[in-house]
Structure formats: structure tokens, C-alpha cells
Amino acid sequence: MSERRPFSFYVLSVFFAVFVLFLYGPTLTIAILSFQGPSGGLTFPMNGTSIHWFKNLFEQQAVGDIWGSFRRSVTLGLMVMVTTVVVSVLGGLAFRTHFRGSSLVFYMVVGSLIIPSILISLGVGILFNIVDLEVHWATSGFGSQLTWALPFGLFIMFAVFNRFDRSYEEAARDLGATPWQTIRHVVIPIIAPSLIGVALFGFTLSYDEFARTLLTAGTFNTLPLEIYGMTTSVTTPVLYALGTLTTVFSFFVIGLAIIGFRLAMRKTKQPLPLD
Amino acid sequence: MGTQTRQTLKGWLLASPLVVILSIFLVLPVIAIVVVSFWGSTAYSYYPDFQFENYTFLLTSSVTLSVYLKTFMFTAITWLLCFLIGFTVAYFLAFHIRSLPVQILLFMICTVPFWTSNIIRMISWIPFLGRNGIANNTLLSMGLIDQPLEWLLFSEFAVILAFVHLFTLFMIVPVFNSMMRIDRSLIEAARDAGASGWQILTNVILPLTKPGIMIGSIFVVTLVMGDFITVRFMSGGQSASVGRVISNEIGLLQYPAASASAVVLLITVLLMISIMLKFVDIRKEL
């Protein structure tokens, strides 16, 4: 460890620091600018500091229906999260059996990930139109978002099960556990930390999703759609205040996931309770 | 029932929720697009038909070619930048950071923006790139320019900047993953055999990282090829891309025309990916 750092280390460190600045700088900038004074504009200089624009978010006439869209986005995020976790675990278990035709399903999953989002938006819109169903964020929007969130959840599960030590399951079976008991008391606790990761992907990919929800959300907007609508009509820092709040919310969700991950890890390391 | 049949039945049963969801929201919509691309349309609606007019119009229009060329240009430049930046960052994390907790921490810092809103991240460039933004003011006060640069925001430059900002992490993650799997003794061996740091990079690390680079490239290429929001927002509506043409046709309720454009886009993207997949077996990479 005491080996001298090569010169390239310092060059690359600077490169990395600049990259992180590039990654976070703009977000920090709008966070600062969202505290503009009431007469401040979209760029520096700051015209005093205030929480005027955050207060503005709570006034219906200033920003439209952002709280309604926020509620819808959180609800939809939770729906996508639960579905992604359940379907990904089942899918992961399915692929362990190397069933005939599994490559077909595998290519469907890959296809779901790489298909340009606008095709999902357009196709689901047309499909609902043809069968004469109303598009709605909780039906067509929900399904469209799953085509984006599920592949991520599944790929995490594939990676998890590829590294899974099967002797635990064999031990459980030798002790007389039924297949369901093996899953419930052995497999799930061991993969629990990864499930938190899948849940994080499920929720955030839905909460921030835009392209696949555009034509499939129907009358009521989700938050990203509402924000996108605002970019053409709103020219005050209220946009930054909203951006800052949703980013803070995202960080909060990521923080929750990290805490959950650590708890699950600690639990995995403990000896199994005898019941 | 044989074991093989039982395994297959069990597999399909467990995969059934996945198959049902993807059939309804992926396979059927794509079929619907292909079917509707042959339909006819009036100003307000569309009707079942079997005609090639949507395609003949699309493929003979000079706009199509120029829009595709522009989209390819966006894709090529974005891919190159994402590759150079992503590879460098992943290389730094995998080979220059020696403690695992620090590695994980720095890797997390690179991936956290993935879980935040793309729209907000695009909007965040306004105060930096605007006419009176930070970039212009800095350059003015340094005396490097006399007038604010007009091409910073709402330009093709801004589009590419935003693409790189949004998509580099799609390159970092798979490349970093590939690099972490490289057996360190190979690098020791190369060093013992007298290879310089640069030779190790180009002759050992780069070839072994190829699968990660390909997966990252597939992400970046498909995301840019199909994009319609970044181009619209960051160019201020001034630049075109294939995705934007489709989204405009949708806006005009010209679903058959939009479908034909979407089919051509899908075929283009699939061709590009199948070329890239020649270099990597994804199933081995998980």
C-alpha cells in the first residue's frame, strides 16, 4: 500500500474531479438559484435570497397541478416498484431452470431495454386506441413504464442468481423444507439486499420516466410530464425550486435504499433464527 | 412427465408474469405499429388499409436522409465522448483506487444521477449556458470573448453536451464491471514481462474490457438514436432528429406516418445493435 503513486494517478484524479463537477455542477447551480429573491431571474446574479419560489410551489395558480402529479408519480412509482421486485424474482428463478425457450424470453427482455422509448409510447397509444380503451397513467402508463424498469430488475436478479450458492438450498431440502419454505426462509433472506436494489430501480425509473409515459398517461400528468409542460410556459425560478425539491426527494429515496441495504446486509450476516 | 418437461413447465410458469407484461406492452405495441404503418390517414383519423404510401413518402423524402444523417452525427459524437470519458473514469476507479470502500463510494457518486430526473438535469444547464449564464460571464470577464456566445444554449452543442451529461454513466457502469473482473495477476505478469503502463492499458485492459464497452455502446447508441426530448429541449426546437420527426407526426395525429417512421427507426437501431453484438455475448456477461 505504501507504493508510490504514479504520475498518471494525479492526472486521472483531476479528470475524475472535473467529471464529478460536470455531473453535479448544474444541479447545484439550480439548487442555489432556486433561492433567488422574488425579482430574481433564471441566471446569476442572485437578486437577494428568499424562499419565495418554494412558497410559490404551494400556490395553485402559479404552477398548475404539481402536487396532484407528484401524488400520481409516487403512487405509480410504488406500483412499478412492487411489480418489478415480484416479477424480477420470479423471472430470475425461472431462468435458473434453463427451461426450453428461455432464450426467447431473454431476447424479449433485451428488446424491452433497447427499443427506442418513443416506440413504446406510440405503440401502446395505438394499441389502446384500436381496442378502444382509454389511456390512463395507472394502466397504459404503468405497463409502459414496466417495459423500462423490468429489464433492469431482471438483469440484477440474473447477476444475483448466477453467484448464488445452491448448497444452502440443498441443505434446506435435506432438512425437509418444502420448495416454498426453501424460497421463503433461505433464498429470499439471502437475496434481500439485492431486492432493495431492484426496488430502488423500480421506483426511481418510474418516478423519473418521461419518454414512455408521454402518450400513455392520459388526461392526468405524472410529475416529469408536468415539469416538461412547465418548461415551455414558466420562465421564473419556480422551475428550479421544483427541480430542487424533486432532486432532494430522489436523494431521500436513494438514502432510504442505502439504509435498507445496510440493514438487510446486517441481517444476512446474522445466524438464522431457529423457529 | 419427464424431468425436462417439468423443468420447462416450471420455468414458463415462473416467467409467465414477465411474458404476459412484455407481450402486452412490448410485443403487441410493436405489431400494432407495423400494422398501422400500412394504414391510410385523413387529417383527423386513420383507417385500416394496406398501402405503401407512408413508406414511399418517407423513403423518397429528402428530409428523411438529412434527419438520419444528423441523428447519426449526434450518435457518433456522443458515443465517442461517452466512451473516452466513461473508459477513463472506469479505469481510474478500477485500477487507481486501491481501497474497496473508496471504490464503491466513488462509483456510487457516478451512478446517483441515474436515479434523478433527466428533465431536471437538462433544465439545470440553463443558468450555465444561457446568454447571461455562468459560462458566458466567465469568458467575458476573462477577456476571452467580447460578446456573449449565442451557440451555447439551444444549439447542437447543447444537445451533445446534455447527451454526454445524461448517458456517460451508461458507459461507466458496464466498463467498470468488466474491468473489475480482470484477473490482476495478468497485469502483474504483463508488468513482469516489461510492459509499460500504456502497453498494459492497450494490450491487456482494453481487449478484456471490450464486452463492457460494447454493452455501454449499445445503451448510448439506442438512447441517442431514439431520443426526442433532449434534442427538442436543448436545441430550443431548432434541431431535428429521427425521434423528433416521429414525435411531431404523433403531435399532428398522423399515426400511420409516425408508425412507418418508427418501423424504419427500429430496423436501423436493430441493424446497428446486431453489428455491435457480433463482438460480445451478453448472456455471458451477467
Side-chain angles (χ1 to χ4, degrees):
Chain A
M1 276 295 149
S2 56
E3 195 190 330
R4 239 188 90 235
R5 297 282 195 184
F7 177 66
S8 58
F9 170 79
Y10 299 99
V11 178
L12 288 172
S13 300
V14 172
F15 184 88
F16 184 78
V18 172
F19 175 71
V20 171
L21 189 68
F22 167 69
L23 217 47
Y24 289 90
T27 313
L28 278 176
T29 315
I30 65 157
I32 295 168
L33 282 170
S34 57
F35 291 98
Q36 273 279 22
S39 57
L42 285 173
T43 51
F44 285 107
M46 292 287 280
N47 225 325
T49 48
S50 73
I51 54 163
H52 175 83
W53 303 108
F54 288 97
K55 275 193 199 148
N56 228 311
L57 285 176
F58 293 89
E59 290 159 17
Q60 188 71 34
Q61 68 279 18
V63 286
D65 186 24
I66 59 155
W67 294 104
S69 62
F70 174 71
R71 269 196 305 278
R72 282 187 286 277
S73 276
V74 172
T75 314
L76 186 55
L78 292 172
M79 286 163 61
V80 172
M81 179 183 91
V82 172
T83 315
T84 304
V85 171
V86 173
V87 174
S88 301
V89 171
L90 292 176
L93 289 170
F95 274 89
R96 290 204 310 175
T97 63
H98 298 288
F99 60 102
R100 209 178 303 145
S102 64
S103 4
L104 183 73
V105 183
F106 180 78
Y107 283 113
M108 247 164 104
V109 176
V110 174
S112 188
L113 193 61
I114 59 181
I115 189 169
S117 300
I118 196 160
L119 266 94
I120 298 287
S121 232
L122 173 64
V124 172
I126 289 176
L127 188 67
F128 270 61
N129 197 332
I130 291 174
V131 297
D132 211 17
L133 276 172
E134 191 100 14
V135 284
H136 190 275
W137 59 270
T139 56
S140 49
F142 172 61
S144 306
Q145 292 194 340
L146 283 176
T147 63
W148 179 233
L150 279 180
F152 285 96
L154 276 157
F155 285 135
I156 295 174
M157 289 327 295
F158 291 164
V160 167
F161 281 128
N162 275 351
R163 291 162 182 73
F164 192 85
D165 186 352
R166 285 208 156 189
S167 54
Y168 290 115
E169 282 167 274
E170 276 154 29
R173 213 167 299 136
D174 289 346
L175 290 168
T178 63
W180 167 245
Q181 282 175 321
T182 314
I183 299 277
R184 170 70 188 81
H185 294 291
V186 179
V187 179
I188 300 280
I190 293 176
I191 63 171
S194 320
L195 294 188
I196 306 261
V198 175
L200 175 65
F201 272 89
F203 184 83
T204 56
L205 292 184
S206 158
Y207 180 73
D208 299 322
E209 162 56 31
F210 178 88
R212 296 185 188 211
T213 329
L214 183 64
L215 287 179
T216 56
T219 324
F220 299 105
N221 278 345
T222 61
L223 190 59
L225 295 173
E226 193 76 21
I227 293 173
Y228 188 67
M230 284 172 69
T231 58
T232 48
S233 56
V234 178
T235 50
T236 60
V238 75
L239 197 58
Y240 296 161
L242 180 55
T244 304
L245 272 192
T246 76
T247 306
V248 167
F249 181 75
S250 294
F251 281 144
F252 169 74
V253 171
I254 297 167
L256 273 186
I258 292 174
I259 293 169
F261 182 80
R262 294 206 145 179
L263 285 177
M265 282 297 267
R266 198 177 302 160
K267 244 185 156 174
T268 323
K269 280 186 188 142
Q270 273 170 7
L272 289 169
L274 300 166
D275 51 344
Chain B
M1 243 186 331
T3 338
Q4 182 65 44
T5 328
R6 275 195 55 178
Q7 284 292 317
T8 299
L9 204 67
K10 191 179 152 200
W12 278 102
L13 201 66
L14 285 167
S16 58
L18 174 68
V19 173
V20 169
I21 291 170
L22 291 187
S23 299
I24 298 176
F25 291 99
L26 175 74
V27 179
L28 281 181
V30 170
I31 294 173
I33 289 175
V34 174
V35 170
V36 170
S37 71
F38 295 103
W39 285 14
S41 59
T42 63
Y44 307 105
S45 71
Y46 53 115
Y47 55 90
D49 198 357
F50 189 77
Q51 39 129 317
F52 292 90
E53 206 175 299
N54 302 312
Y55 287 103
T56 19
F57 181 77
L58 179 69
L59 298 175
T60 53
S61 152
S62 63
V63 177
T64 309
L65 183 66
S66 67
V67 165
Y68 265 90
L69 286 178
K70 178 134 289 175
T71 311
F72 286 136
M73 179 205 77
F74 281 140
T75 308
I77 298 176
T78 306
W79 174 81
L80 185 67
L81 290 171
C82 286
F83 166 67
L84 292 175
I85 298 171
F87 187 88
T88 311
V89 168
Y91 173 75
F92 171 71
L93 292 180
F95 293 104
H96 280 275
I97 303 296
R98 291 163 185 172
S99 104
L100 187 64
V102 178
Q103 227 166 19
I104 293 173
L105 179 75
L106 296 183
F107 179 72
M108 282 295 286
I109 289 177
C110 293
T111 46
V112 158
F114 176 65
W115 294 308
T116 65
S117 164
N118 279 1
I119 305 262
I120 299 293
R121 291 175 69 206
M122 281 183 234
I123 292 171
S124 323
W125 281 107
I126 296 174
F128 194 81
L129 297 178
R131 197 169 188 282
N132 303 310
I134 299 169
N136 268 327
N137 282 346
T138 313
L139 291 172
L140 280 171
S141 65
M142 283 166 72
L144 288 172
I145 49 172
D146 314 322
Q147 281 174 4
L149 301 173
E150 300 286 352
W151 51 265
L152 287 179
L153 189 61
F154 302 138
S155 62
E156 286 172 7
F157 165 80
V159 172
I160 290 169
L161 185 78
F163 276 144
V164 174
H165 188 226
L166 296 174
F167 301 149
T168 302
L169 57 115
F170 284 93
M171 189 67 92
I172 295 178
V173 175
V175 170
F176 177 73
N177 184 39
S178 285
M179 283 179 175
M180 291 300 278
R181 288 188 192 188
I182 296 176
D183 189 347
R184 299 299 143 128
S185 54
L186 288 174
I187 291 161
E188 293 290 318
R191 192 169 293 137
D192 289 346
S196 68
W198 180 254
Q199 281 175 321
I200 294 174
L201 181 66
T202 52
N203 292 329
V204 181
I205 296 173
L206 193 63
L208 291 173
T209 314
K210 214 169 65 181
I213 297 172
M214 281 307 146
I215 291 175
S217 303
I218 289 172
F219 267 115
V220 173
V221 165
T222 53
L223 285 167
V224 177
M225 284 299 295
D227 177 88
F228 60 101
I229 311 149
T230 316
V231 173
R232 173 161 170 204
F233 185 76
M234 296 307 285
S235 76
Q238 292 170 43
S239 193
S241 75
V242 181
R244 268 206 75 196
V245 169
I246 300 173
S247 109
N248 287 344
E249 284 165 341
I250 294 170
L252 296 168
L253 303 177
Q254 296 297 315
Y255 289 116
S259 299
S261 305
V263 170
V264 174
L265 170 66
L266 184 62
I267 292 171
T268 313
V269 169
L270 289 180
L271 279 176
M272 293 170 86
I273 291 170
S274 63
I275 294 169
M276 289 191 272
L277 279 180
K278 289 246 185 306
F279 299 97
V280 54
D281 178 359
I282 322 183
R283 281 196 90 158
K284 268 198 203 145
E285 294 309 314
L286 295 165

